[in-house]
């Protein structure tokens, strides 16, 4: 994959995926995400309307333990 367009946020990507899943009638997806996709998967799973059944994450960004509230 190439670089993200300037100003295009994770939330906008997740919106597009959520709309696509709804249009396809997918009601309990298992979502796999690697690297940037891991960020997208977590954002998607945070939306109750999407109904993510399970997440598989690989190579997500590092978050220092003291940065997590």
């Amino acid at each position: 994959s190439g670089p993200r367009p300037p100003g295009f946020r994770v939330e906008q990507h997740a919106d597009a995926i959520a709309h696509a899943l709804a249009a396809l009638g997918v009601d309990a997806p298992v979502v796999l995400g690697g690297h940037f996709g891991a960020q997208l998967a977590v954002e998607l799973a945070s939306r109750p309307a999407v109904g993510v059944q399970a997440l598989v994450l690989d190579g997500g960004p590092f978050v220092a333990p003291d940065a997590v509230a």
Side-chain angles (χ1 to χ4, degrees):
S1 67
R4 290 177 284 174
F8 203 69
R9 301 171 45 111
V10 172
E11 295 85 355
Q12 291 170 300
H13 281 282
D15 287 342
I17 294 167
H19 289 301
L21 290 170
L24 292 169
V26 178
D27 59 359
V30 174
V31 180
L32 175 122
H35 302 280
F36 178 65
Q39 290 177 285
L40 285 173
V42 170
E43 175 64 31
L44 197 62
S46 74
R47 300 165 181 226
V50 176
V52 171
Q53 177 182 347
L55 284 174
V56 180
L57 305 175
D58 179 45
F62 174 76
V63 177
D66 60 344
V68 178

